[in-house]
Amino acid sequence: MNAPSLRTRVAAAVAVTCFAVVAALALTLYTSSEDLEATLVDQIVSEEMAFLVRHHLENPDVVVREPGPNLQYYVVRGAADLANVPEKLRSLPVGQHEIGSGIDEQHVAVREAAGRRFIVAYDAGLHEIREQQFKRLLLLALSTVMIVAAALGYWVAGLITRQITDLAARVSVLDPGTPRAPLAQEGQETEVSALARAFDQYENRIRELIAREQEFTGNASHELRTPLTAIRTSCELLEAEPGLPDKARARIAAIAAAAERMTGQIEMLLFLARAQAPGSKEAVAMAGCVDDAVQPLLADIARKGLAFENAVPADAVMELDRQALDIVITNLLRNAVAYTHQGRIRVMLEGACLAVSDTGIGIPPAELPRIFDRFHRGDSQAGGFGLGLAIVSRICSQQGWRVDAESTPSRGSTFRVWLQ
Ligand code: ADP
């Protein structure tokens, strides 16, 4: 799973910080209001008790003024008075008490004086309801603060990270070969500008590296061409020699074939070294291109007894880089011939999709994803370097084409190239 984005994390951090601060504030407010209320109620109860005792002792026969709706007075002189006292207050010892909870909460004071027991009870239920309302209000404020803080944090973080995401978008489409404006620009934040400069420098180094690699490949291919031409010419001269034993003639043919193959590979390397940008396009007769590509393979096809079918319509013409197409078809056909021992090889064109199919040994499913890797070779080891398909894949991405392979072991393979 992807880690959350910087923007989300900043928003979460702001929200959590605001939540912690407001929660601490709300808790302090709530507990101190609760303490204050309890102290206030206890004070009312003690004052009422002092009043009741004083008044009763001064005028024992006069009934004390009617207590309020939340207040009850009881003076217990004997068993008869005790009967008027509610059950829950009867057995309370002398002192201040808090009984019941929620809406039934009562603060009670019990005192004894002049052989009598005085009880003052105060219903704190209303206060309790107010307290609950206050608590709900605090919770509402807390969730509102959290949502607002998260939205605000997300927005602010968006402002900060926008330049980074812009830079990431530009870096993601960078192509070291094509000219472009530097990533570092006026008006960038200091950190973003430093990052952009670092990318610019890095890209320059990559460009130099590519140039060096191209130069090396180009030079090496050039150097190799001359000795290979010498080998091929020598082979031709030797083959023309009369009275050569058959065994020697076969060896010379093998050397000539290998030199031919290597010349082909070197042509490809040279092409890749030269053509970083797509080359010039021209109208290409597709069937003719296939015929040209299969020409050097016809001897092998005949030797193996394979059938070859060029099913590309004779009038099919496409606008593309002919040399690139030639290398792609040559490689696919060479593989088809190398890895097919019986049956047929067919080339088709459906719309812009060129398909080369064979009835050869096929490719195991586990190997299929790796066949386009450089130097990957299957078990059959049919004499290649594991470079052909890597070159095909590289040319396709260079030309904006797409290549894929489909294969069933022992049944055959089909390579498709979408030429658009
Ligand atoms: P190589 O020079 O070994 O042929 P490639 O890059 O052309 O290298 O191919 C890589 C591997 O893919 C081959 O070694 C072979 O195992 C497999 N492969 C390619 N084309 C075919 C095909 N038409 N049929 C079966 N296997 C194939």
Side-chain angles (χ1 to χ4, degrees), residues 198-232:
F199 274 128
D200 282 333
Q201 288 162 1
Y202 184 58
E203 202 218 352
N204 283 339
R205 287 203 295 276
I206 294 181
R207 218 179 291 184
E208 282 166 18
L209 205 74
I210 292 175
R212 273 210 303 276
E213 191 206 77
Q214 270 176 277
E215 197 184 85
F216 172 79
T217 319
N219 289 345
S221 313
H222 258 299
E223 296 299 319
L224 289 172
R225 260 170 155 189
T226 323
L228 273 173
T229 314
I231 294 174
R232 277 165 47 216

PDB file of all heavy atoms in Angstrom, residues 198-232:
ATOM      1  N   ALA A 198      19.079  20.228  -9.142  1.00  0.00           N
ATOM      2  CA  ALA A 198      19.713  18.906  -9.014  1.00  0.00           C
ATOM      3  C   ALA A 198      19.250  17.989 -10.147  1.00  0.00           C
ATOM      4  O   ALA A 198      20.053  17.261 -10.741  1.00  0.00           O
ATOM      5  CB  ALA A 198      19.362  18.292  -7.659  1.00  0.00           C
ATOM      6  N   PHE A 199      17.957  18.052 -10.488  1.00  0.00           N
ATOM      7  CA  PHE A 199      17.440  17.248 -11.604  1.00  0.00           C
ATOM      8  C   PHE A 199      18.088  17.662 -12.920  1.00  0.00           C
ATOM      9  O   PHE A 199      18.451  16.813 -13.740  1.00  0.00           O
ATOM     10  CB  PHE A 199      15.920  17.400 -11.729  1.00  0.00           C
ATOM     11  CG  PHE A 199      15.149  16.456 -10.840  1.00  0.00           C
ATOM     12  CD1 PHE A 199      14.173  16.922  -9.984  1.00  0.00           C
ATOM     13  CD2 PHE A 199      15.401  15.094 -10.873  1.00  0.00           C
ATOM     14  CE1 PHE A 199      13.469  16.061  -9.164  1.00  0.00           C
ATOM     15  CE2 PHE A 199      14.703  14.223 -10.063  1.00  0.00           C
ATOM     16  CZ  PHE A 199      13.729  14.713  -9.202  1.00  0.00           C
ATOM     17  N   ASP A 200      18.212  18.984 -13.118  1.00  0.00           N
ATOM     18  CA  ASP A 200      18.830  19.483 -14.363  1.00  0.00           C
ATOM     19  C   ASP A 200      20.245  18.938 -14.506  1.00  0.00           C
ATOM     20  O   ASP A 200      20.634  18.460 -15.574  1.00  0.00           O
ATOM     21  CB  ASP A 200      18.866  21.019 -14.358  1.00  0.00           C
ATOM     22  CG  ASP A 200      17.503  21.607 -14.696  1.00  0.00           C
ATOM     23  OD1 ASP A 200      16.738  20.927 -15.404  1.00  0.00           O
ATOM     24  OD2 ASP A 200      17.200  22.725 -14.254  1.00  0.00           O
ATOM     25  N   GLN A 201      21.006  19.001 -13.380  1.00  0.00           N
ATOM     26  CA  GLN A 201      22.394  18.522 -13.440  1.00  0.00           C
ATOM     27  C   GLN A 201      22.428  17.019 -13.707  1.00  0.00           C
ATOM     28  O   GLN A 201      23.240  16.520 -14.495  1.00  0.00           O
ATOM     29  CB  GLN A 201      23.113  18.830 -12.127  1.00  0.00           C
ATOM     30  CG  GLN A 201      23.404  20.313 -11.974  1.00  0.00           C
ATOM     31  CD  GLN A 201      23.708  20.683 -10.531  1.00  0.00           C
ATOM     32  OE1 GLN A 201      23.710  19.821  -9.655  1.00  0.00           O
ATOM     33  NE2 GLN A 201      23.952  21.966 -10.280  1.00  0.00           N
ATOM     34  N   TYR A 202      21.504  16.310 -13.049  1.00  0.00           N
ATOM     35  CA  TYR A 202      21.465  14.859 -13.210  1.00  0.00           C
ATOM     36  C   TYR A 202      21.153  14.498 -14.672  1.00  0.00           C
ATOM     37  O   TYR A 202      21.766  13.605 -15.251  1.00  0.00           O
ATOM     38  CB  TYR A 202      20.400  14.277 -12.283  1.00  0.00           C
ATOM     39  CG  TYR A 202      20.337  12.780 -12.292  1.00  0.00           C
ATOM     40  CD1 TYR A 202      21.457  12.022 -11.953  1.00  0.00           C
ATOM     41  CD2 TYR A 202      19.175  12.106 -12.625  1.00  0.00           C
ATOM     42  CE1 TYR A 202      21.413  10.651 -11.964  1.00  0.00           C
ATOM     43  CE2 TYR A 202      19.119  10.735 -12.636  1.00  0.00           C
ATOM     44  CZ  TYR A 202      20.241  10.006 -12.307  1.00  0.00           C
ATOM     45  OH  TYR A 202      20.199   8.643 -12.318  1.00  0.00           O
ATOM     46  N   GLU A 203      20.192  15.240 -15.238  1.00  0.00           N
ATOM     47  CA  GLU A 203      19.815  14.945 -16.627  1.00  0.00           C
ATOM     48  C   GLU A 203      20.984  15.223 -17.577  1.00  0.00           C
ATOM     49  O   GLU A 203      21.197  14.494 -18.540  1.00  0.00           O
ATOM     50  CB  GLU A 203      18.592  15.769 -17.022  1.00  0.00           C
ATOM     51  CG  GLU A 203      17.867  15.129 -18.199  1.00  0.00           C
ATOM     52  CD  GLU A 203      17.324  16.137 -19.163  1.00  0.00           C
ATOM     53  OE1 GLU A 203      17.370  17.345 -18.851  1.00  0.00           O
ATOM     54  OE2 GLU A 203      16.885  15.724 -20.236  1.00  0.00           O
ATOM     55  N   ASN A 204      21.737  16.287 -17.271  1.00  0.00           N
ATOM     56  CA  ASN A 204      22.903  16.572 -18.109  1.00  0.00           C
ATOM     57  C   ASN A 204      23.895  15.417 -18.078  1.00  0.00           C
ATOM     58  O   ASN A 204      24.464  15.034 -19.096  1.00  0.00           O
ATOM     59  CB  ASN A 204      23.604  17.848 -17.640  1.00  0.00           C
ATOM     60  CG  ASN A 204      22.835  19.067 -18.099  1.00  0.00           C
ATOM     61  OD1 ASN A 204      22.061  18.980 -19.043  1.00  0.00           O
ATOM     62  ND2 ASN A 204      23.025  20.193 -17.436  1.00  0.00           N
ATOM     63  N   ARG A 205      24.068  14.870 -16.851  1.00  0.00           N
ATOM     64  CA  ARG A 205      25.013  13.747 -16.731  1.00  0.00           C
ATOM     65  C   ARG A 205      24.498  12.543 -17.531  1.00  0.00           C
ATOM     66  O   ARG A 205      25.257  11.870 -18.218  1.00  0.00           O
ATOM     67  CB  ARG A 205      25.212  13.372 -15.262  1.00  0.00           C
ATOM     68  CG  ARG A 205      26.059  14.394 -14.498  1.00  0.00           C
ATOM     69  CD  ARG A 205      26.697  13.769 -13.273  1.00  0.00           C
ATOM     70  NE  ARG A 205      25.709  13.360 -12.296  1.00  0.00           N
ATOM     71  CZ  ARG A 205      25.169  14.160 -11.384  1.00  0.00           C
ATOM     72  NH1 ARG A 205      25.531  15.429 -11.332  1.00  0.00           N
ATOM     73  NH2 ARG A 205      24.266  13.713 -10.532  1.00  0.00           N
ATOM     74  N   ILE A 206      23.184  12.293 -17.454  1.00  0.00           N
ATOM     75  CA  ILE A 206      22.608  11.168 -18.214  1.00  0.00           C
ATOM     76  C   ILE A 206      22.826  11.394 -19.713  1.00  0.00           C
ATOM     77  O   ILE A 206      23.202  10.487 -20.461  1.00  0.00           O
ATOM     78  CB  ILE A 206      21.093  11.026 -17.943  1.00  0.00           C
ATOM     79  CG1 ILE A 206      20.874  10.620 -16.496  1.00  0.00           C
ATOM     80  CG2 ILE A 206      20.464   9.988 -18.881  1.00  0.00           C
ATOM     81  CD1 ILE A 206      19.435  10.421 -16.128  1.00  0.00           C
ATOM     82  N   ARG A 207      22.606  12.657 -20.144  1.00  0.00           N
ATOM     83  CA  ARG A 207      22.750  12.961 -21.566  1.00  0.00           C
ATOM     84  C   ARG A 207      24.195  12.689 -22.021  1.00  0.00           C
ATOM     85  O   ARG A 207      24.423  12.093 -23.071  1.00  0.00           O
ATOM     86  CB  ARG A 207      22.407  14.430 -21.798  1.00  0.00           C
ATOM     87  CG  ARG A 207      21.667  14.597 -23.098  1.00  0.00           C
ATOM     88  CD  ARG A 207      21.301  15.997 -23.349  1.00  0.00           C
ATOM     89  NE  ARG A 207      20.279  16.455 -22.412  1.00  0.00           N
ATOM     90  CZ  ARG A 207      19.729  17.654 -22.483  1.00  0.00           C
ATOM     91  NH1 ARG A 207      20.123  18.496 -23.396  1.00  0.00           N
ATOM     92  NH2 ARG A 207      18.801  18.023 -21.625  1.00  0.00           N
ATOM     93  N   GLU A 208      25.136  13.104 -21.164  1.00  0.00           N
ATOM     94  CA  GLU A 208      26.549  12.861 -21.521  1.00  0.00           C
ATOM     95  C   GLU A 208      26.827  11.363 -21.600  1.00  0.00           C
ATOM     96  O   GLU A 208      27.530  10.876 -22.493  1.00  0.00           O
ATOM     97  CB  GLU A 208      27.474  13.486 -20.470  1.00  0.00           C
ATOM     98  CG  GLU A 208      27.612  14.995 -20.631  1.00  0.00           C
ATOM     99  CD  GLU A 208      28.248  15.628 -19.403  1.00  0.00           C
ATOM    100  OE1 GLU A 208      28.876  14.901 -18.609  1.00  0.00           O
ATOM    101  OE2 GLU A 208      28.084  16.854 -19.255  1.00  0.00           O
ATOM    102  N   LEU A 209      26.229  10.644 -20.623  1.00  0.00           N
ATOM    103  CA  LEU A 209      26.435   9.193 -20.576  1.00  0.00           C
ATOM    104  C   LEU A 209      25.891   8.529 -21.838  1.00  0.00           C
ATOM    105  O   LEU A 209      26.549   7.675 -22.460  1.00  0.00           O
ATOM    106  CB  LEU A 209      25.692   8.639 -19.358  1.00  0.00           C
ATOM    107  CG  LEU A 209      26.212   7.342 -18.797  1.00  0.00           C
ATOM    108  CD1 LEU A 209      27.506   7.610 -18.060  1.00  0.00           C
ATOM    109  CD2 LEU A 209      25.178   6.737 -17.844  1.00  0.00           C
ATOM    110  N   ILE A 210      24.689   8.960 -22.246  1.00  0.00           N
ATOM    111  CA  ILE A 210      24.079   8.380 -23.450  1.00  0.00           C
ATOM    112  C   ILE A 210      24.958   8.687 -24.668  1.00  0.00           C
ATOM    113  O   ILE A 210      25.217   7.826 -25.507  1.00  0.00           O
ATOM    114  CB  ILE A 210      22.658   8.939 -23.670  1.00  0.00           C
ATOM    115  CG1 ILE A 210      21.738   8.425 -22.567  1.00  0.00           C
ATOM    116  CG2 ILE A 210      22.105   8.517 -25.035  1.00  0.00           C
ATOM    117  CD1 ILE A 210      20.353   9.002 -22.598  1.00  0.00           C
ATOM    118  N   ALA A 211      25.433   9.954 -24.713  1.00  0.00           N
ATOM    119  CA  ALA A 211      26.264  10.347 -25.859  1.00  0.00           C
ATOM    120  C   ALA A 211      27.523   9.483 -25.901  1.00  0.00           C
ATOM    121  O   ALA A 211      27.925   8.995 -26.960  1.00  0.00           O
ATOM    122  CB  ALA A 211      26.628  11.826 -25.747  1.00  0.00           C
ATOM    123  N   ARG A 212      28.127   9.260 -24.710  1.00  0.00           N
ATOM    124  CA  ARG A 212      29.348   8.442 -24.665  1.00  0.00           C
ATOM    125  C   ARG A 212      29.050   7.014 -25.108  1.00  0.00           C
ATOM    126  O   ARG A 212      29.796   6.415 -25.879  1.00  0.00           O
ATOM    127  CB  ARG A 212      29.918   8.440 -23.242  1.00  0.00           C
ATOM    128  CG  ARG A 212      30.850   9.619 -22.981  1.00  0.00           C
ATOM    129  CD  ARG A 212      31.923   9.250 -21.958  1.00  0.00           C
ATOM    130  NE  ARG A 212      31.374   8.801 -20.701  1.00  0.00           N
ATOM    131  CZ  ARG A 212      30.993   9.603 -19.721  1.00  0.00           C
ATOM    132  NH1 ARG A 212      31.091  10.907 -19.868  1.00  0.00           N
ATOM    133  NH2 ARG A 212      30.520   9.130 -18.599  1.00  0.00           N
ATOM    134  N   GLU A 213      27.895   6.494 -24.620  1.00  0.00           N
ATOM    135  CA  GLU A 213      27.528   5.114 -24.962  1.00  0.00           C
ATOM    136  C   GLU A 213      27.306   4.982 -26.467  1.00  0.00           C
ATOM    137  O   GLU A 213      27.788   4.045 -27.101  1.00  0.00           O
ATOM    138  CB  GLU A 213      26.250   4.722 -24.216  1.00  0.00           C
ATOM    139  CG  GLU A 213      25.951   3.251 -24.308  1.00  0.00           C
ATOM    140  CD  GLU A 213      24.475   2.957 -24.145  1.00  0.00           C
ATOM    141  OE1 GLU A 213      23.728   3.192 -25.121  1.00  0.00           O
ATOM    142  OE2 GLU A 213      24.095   2.508 -23.085  1.00  0.00           O
ATOM    143  N   GLN A 214      26.598   6.004 -27.035  1.00  0.00           N
ATOM    144  CA  GLN A 214      26.335   5.976 -28.480  1.00  0.00           C
ATOM    145  C   GLN A 214      27.639   6.033 -29.264  1.00  0.00           C
ATOM    146  O   GLN A 214      27.823   5.294 -30.227  1.00  0.00           O
ATOM    147  CB  GLN A 214      25.488   7.174 -28.866  1.00  0.00           C
ATOM    148  CG  GLN A 214      24.003   6.893 -28.799  1.00  0.00           C
ATOM    149  CD  GLN A 214      23.235   8.144 -29.100  1.00  0.00           C
ATOM    150  OE1 GLN A 214      23.031   8.955 -28.224  1.00  0.00           O
ATOM    151  NE2 GLN A 214      22.842   8.307 -30.325  1.00  0.00           N
ATOM    152  N   GLU A 215      28.526   6.907 -28.782  1.00  0.00           N
ATOM    153  CA  GLU A 215      29.799   7.067 -29.486  1.00  0.00           C
ATOM    154  C   GLU A 215      30.585   5.763 -29.452  1.00  0.00           C
ATOM    155  O   GLU A 215      31.099   5.294 -30.466  1.00  0.00           O
ATOM    156  CB  GLU A 215      30.600   8.185 -28.821  1.00  0.00           C
ATOM    157  CG  GLU A 215      31.721   8.705 -29.687  1.00  0.00           C
ATOM    158  CD  GLU A 215      32.526   9.736 -28.934  1.00  0.00           C
ATOM    159  OE1 GLU A 215      33.438   9.349 -28.194  1.00  0.00           O
ATOM    160  OE2 GLU A 215      32.235  10.920 -29.073  1.00  0.00           O
ATOM    161  N   PHE A 216      30.587   5.159 -28.254  1.00  0.00           N
ATOM    162  CA  PHE A 216      31.331   3.902 -28.107  1.00  0.00           C
ATOM    163  C   PHE A 216      30.742   2.822 -29.011  1.00  0.00           C
ATOM    164  O   PHE A 216      31.464   2.153 -29.764  1.00  0.00           O
ATOM    165  CB  PHE A 216      31.292   3.437 -26.644  1.00  0.00           C
ATOM    166  CG  PHE A 216      31.863   2.067 -26.466  1.00  0.00           C
ATOM    167  CD1 PHE A 216      33.245   1.875 -26.426  1.00  0.00           C
ATOM    168  CD2 PHE A 216      31.036   0.953 -26.357  1.00  0.00           C
ATOM    169  CE1 PHE A 216      33.775   0.615 -26.285  1.00  0.00           C
ATOM    170  CE2 PHE A 216      31.558  -0.314 -26.209  1.00  0.00           C
ATOM    171  CZ  PHE A 216      32.943  -0.480 -26.177  1.00  0.00           C
ATOM    172  N   THR A 217      29.396   2.670 -28.956  1.00  0.00           N
ATOM    173  CA  THR A 217      28.763   1.634 -29.769  1.00  0.00           C
ATOM    174  C   THR A 217      29.045   1.886 -31.249  1.00  0.00           C
ATOM    175  O   THR A 217      29.359   0.954 -32.001  1.00  0.00           O
ATOM    176  CB  THR A 217      27.234   1.625 -29.544  1.00  0.00           C
ATOM    177  OG1 THR A 217      26.992   1.818 -28.172  1.00  0.00           O
ATOM    178  CG2 THR A 217      26.610   0.346 -30.003  1.00  0.00           C
ATOM    179  N   GLY A 218      28.926   3.169 -31.635  1.00  0.00           N
ATOM    180  CA  GLY A 218      29.170   3.523 -33.036  1.00  0.00           C
ATOM    181  C   GLY A 218      30.579   3.165 -33.450  1.00  0.00           C
ATOM    182  O   GLY A 218      30.788   2.490 -34.475  1.00  0.00           O
ATOM    183  N   ASN A 219      31.543   3.581 -32.648  1.00  0.00           N
ATOM    184  CA  ASN A 219      32.949   3.319 -32.981  1.00  0.00           C
ATOM    185  C   ASN A 219      33.234   1.820 -33.027  1.00  0.00           C
ATOM    186  O   ASN A 219      33.854   1.324 -33.973  1.00  0.00           O
ATOM    187  CB  ASN A 219      33.878   3.962 -31.943  1.00  0.00           C
ATOM    188  CG  ASN A 219      33.861   5.477 -32.102  1.00  0.00           C
ATOM    189  OD1 ASN A 219      33.394   5.971 -33.114  1.00  0.00           O
ATOM    190  ND2 ASN A 219      34.353   6.189 -31.107  1.00  0.00           N
ATOM    191  N   ALA A 220      32.758   1.111 -31.982  1.00  0.00           N
ATOM    192  CA  ALA A 220      33.038  -0.319 -31.904  1.00  0.00           C
ATOM    193  C   ALA A 220      32.442  -1.031 -33.114  1.00  0.00           C
ATOM    194  O   ALA A 220      33.095  -1.894 -33.731  1.00  0.00           O
ATOM    195  CB  ALA A 220      32.456  -0.889 -30.616  1.00  0.00           C
ATOM    196  N   SER A 221      31.187  -0.642 -33.506  1.00  0.00           N
ATOM    197  CA  SER A 221      30.558  -1.309 -34.641  1.00  0.00           C
ATOM    198  C   SER A 221      31.347  -1.059 -35.917  1.00  0.00           C
ATOM    199  O   SER A 221      31.558  -1.979 -36.720  1.00  0.00           O
ATOM    200  CB  SER A 221      29.130  -0.808 -34.830  1.00  0.00           C
ATOM    201  OG  SER A 221      28.477  -0.802 -33.602  1.00  0.00           O
ATOM    202  N   HIS A 222      31.801   0.199 -36.074  1.00  0.00           N
ATOM    203  CA  HIS A 222      32.590   0.539 -37.252  1.00  0.00           C
ATOM    204  C   HIS A 222      33.857  -0.300 -37.330  1.00  0.00           C
ATOM    205  O   HIS A 222      34.203  -0.867 -38.367  1.00  0.00           O
ATOM    206  CB  HIS A 222      32.981   2.020 -37.189  1.00  0.00           C
ATOM    207  CG  HIS A 222      32.125   2.842 -38.085  1.00  0.00           C
ATOM    208  ND1 HIS A 222      32.085   2.650 -39.439  1.00  0.00           N
ATOM    209  CD2 HIS A 222      31.266   3.846 -37.818  1.00  0.00           C
ATOM    210  CE1 HIS A 222      31.236   3.492 -39.966  1.00  0.00           C
ATOM    211  NE2 HIS A 222      30.711   4.238 -38.997  1.00  0.00           N
ATOM    212  N   GLU A 223      34.527  -0.367 -36.157  1.00  0.00           N
ATOM    213  CA  GLU A 223      35.785  -1.115 -36.094  1.00  0.00           C
ATOM    214  C   GLU A 223      35.574  -2.586 -36.450  1.00  0.00           C
ATOM    215  O   GLU A 223      36.398  -3.219 -37.092  1.00  0.00           O
ATOM    216  CB  GLU A 223      36.403  -1.032 -34.690  1.00  0.00           C
ATOM    217  CG  GLU A 223      36.828   0.369 -34.261  1.00  0.00           C
ATOM    218  CD  GLU A 223      37.885   0.933 -35.203  1.00  0.00           C
ATOM    219  OE1 GLU A 223      38.786   0.170 -35.596  1.00  0.00           O
ATOM    220  OE2 GLU A 223      37.772   2.119 -35.581  1.00  0.00           O
ATOM    221  N   LEU A 224      34.435  -3.134 -36.004  1.00  0.00           N
ATOM    222  CA  LEU A 224      34.185  -4.565 -36.223  1.00  0.00           C
ATOM    223  C   LEU A 224      33.775  -4.882 -37.659  1.00  0.00           C
ATOM    224  O   LEU A 224      33.964  -6.004 -38.134  1.00  0.00           O
ATOM    225  CB  LEU A 224      33.096  -5.053 -35.265  1.00  0.00           C
ATOM    226  CG  LEU A 224      33.522  -5.140 -33.803  1.00  0.00           C
ATOM    227  CD1 LEU A 224      32.331  -5.442 -32.916  1.00  0.00           C
ATOM    228  CD2 LEU A 224      34.572  -6.246 -33.634  1.00  0.00           C
ATOM    229  N   ARG A 225      33.195  -3.870 -38.306  1.00  0.00           N
ATOM    230  CA  ARG A 225      32.715  -4.110 -39.673  1.00  0.00           C
ATOM    231  C   ARG A 225      33.860  -4.547 -40.607  1.00  0.00           C
ATOM    232  O   ARG A 225      33.709  -5.473 -41.387  1.00  0.00           O
ATOM    233  CB  ARG A 225      32.143  -2.828 -40.241  1.00  0.00           C
ATOM    234  CG  ARG A 225      30.644  -2.764 -40.180  1.00  0.00           C
ATOM    235  CD  ARG A 225      30.290  -1.367 -40.536  1.00  0.00           C
ATOM    236  NE  ARG A 225      28.986  -1.212 -41.074  1.00  0.00           N
ATOM    237  CZ  ARG A 225      28.583  -0.078 -41.602  1.00  0.00           C
ATOM    238  NH1 ARG A 225      29.418   0.942 -41.697  1.00  0.00           N
ATOM    239  NH2 ARG A 225      27.372   0.041 -42.035  1.00  0.00           N
ATOM    240  N   THR A 226      34.984  -3.858 -40.506  1.00  0.00           N
ATOM    241  CA  THR A 226      36.096  -4.127 -41.431  1.00  0.00           C
ATOM    242  C   THR A 226      36.588  -5.564 -41.317  1.00  0.00           C
ATOM    243  O   THR A 226      36.617  -6.287 -42.333  1.00  0.00           O
ATOM    244  CB  THR A 226      37.239  -3.121 -41.180  1.00  0.00           C
ATOM    245  OG1 THR A 226      36.641  -1.882 -40.860  1.00  0.00           O
ATOM    246  CG2 THR A 226      38.172  -3.009 -42.352  1.00  0.00           C
ATOM    247  N   PRO A 227      36.967  -6.062 -40.101  1.00  0.00           N
ATOM    248  CA  PRO A 227      37.413  -7.462 -40.053  1.00  0.00           C
ATOM    249  C   PRO A 227      36.334  -8.440 -40.496  1.00  0.00           C
ATOM    250  O   PRO A 227      36.636  -9.463 -41.128  1.00  0.00           O
ATOM    251  CB  PRO A 227      37.767  -7.683 -38.577  1.00  0.00           C
ATOM    252  CG  PRO A 227      37.269  -6.505 -37.846  1.00  0.00           C
ATOM    253  CD  PRO A 227      37.113  -5.396 -38.812  1.00  0.00           C
ATOM    254  N   LEU A 228      35.059  -8.117 -40.218  1.00  0.00           N
ATOM    255  CA  LEU A 228      33.994  -9.036 -40.645  1.00  0.00           C
ATOM    256  C   LEU A 228      33.900  -9.112 -42.163  1.00  0.00           C
ATOM    257  O   LEU A 228      33.708 -10.192 -42.731  1.00  0.00           O
ATOM    258  CB  LEU A 228      32.642  -8.579 -40.071  1.00  0.00           C
ATOM    259  CG  LEU A 228      32.337  -9.119 -38.681  1.00  0.00           C
ATOM    260  CD1 LEU A 228      31.067  -8.485 -38.130  1.00  0.00           C
ATOM    261  CD2 LEU A 228      32.154 -10.636 -38.729  1.00  0.00           C
ATOM    262  N   THR A 229      34.046  -7.938 -42.806  1.00  0.00           N
ATOM    263  CA  THR A 229      34.020  -7.944 -44.271  1.00  0.00           C
ATOM    264  C   THR A 229      35.175  -8.798 -44.786  1.00  0.00           C
ATOM    265  O   THR A 229      35.009  -9.592 -45.736  1.00  0.00           O
ATOM    266  CB  THR A 229      34.152  -6.499 -44.809  1.00  0.00           C
ATOM    267  OG1 THR A 229      33.275  -5.687 -44.058  1.00  0.00           O
ATOM    268  CG2 THR A 229      33.822  -6.404 -46.282  1.00  0.00           C
ATOM    269  N   ALA A 230      36.328  -8.671 -44.121  1.00  0.00           N
ATOM    270  CA  ALA A 230      37.497  -9.467 -44.530  1.00  0.00           C
ATOM    271  C   ALA A 230      37.195 -10.949 -44.390  1.00  0.00           C
ATOM    272  O   ALA A 230      37.511 -11.750 -45.293  1.00  0.00           O
ATOM    273  CB  ALA A 230      38.695  -9.074 -43.676  1.00  0.00           C
ATOM    274  N   ILE A 231      36.552 -11.345 -43.282  1.00  0.00           N
ATOM    275  CA  ILE A 231      36.221 -12.770 -43.073  1.00  0.00           C
ATOM    276  C   ILE A 231      35.283 -13.265 -44.170  1.00  0.00           C
ATOM    277  O   ILE A 231      35.483 -14.322 -44.774  1.00  0.00           O
ATOM    278  CB  ILE A 231      35.567 -12.979 -41.682  1.00  0.00           C
ATOM    279  CG1 ILE A 231      36.579 -12.664 -40.575  1.00  0.00           C
ATOM    280  CG2 ILE A 231      35.031 -14.408 -41.529  1.00  0.00           C
ATOM    281  CD1 ILE A 231      35.999 -12.694 -39.180  1.00  0.00           C
ATOM    282  N   ARG A 232      34.214 -12.429 -44.425  1.00  0.00           N
ATOM    283  CA  ARG A 232      33.231 -12.875 -45.427  1.00  0.00           C
ATOM    284  C   ARG A 232      33.867 -12.994 -46.823  1.00  0.00           C
ATOM    285  O   ARG A 232      33.617 -13.944 -47.552  1.00  0.00           O
ATOM    286  CB  ARG A 232      32.045 -11.912 -45.443  1.00  0.00           C
ATOM    287  CG  ARG A 232      31.067 -12.276 -44.328  1.00  0.00           C
ATOM    288  CD  ARG A 232      30.054 -11.204 -44.016  1.00  0.00           C
ATOM    289  NE  ARG A 232      29.423 -10.643 -45.182  1.00  0.00           N
ATOM    290  CZ  ARG A 232      29.088  -9.361 -45.279  1.00  0.00           C
ATOM    291  NH1 ARG A 232      29.365  -8.530 -44.285  1.00  0.00           N
ATOM    292  NH2 ARG A 232      28.497  -8.922 -46.347  1.00  0.00           N
TER     293      ARG A 232
END
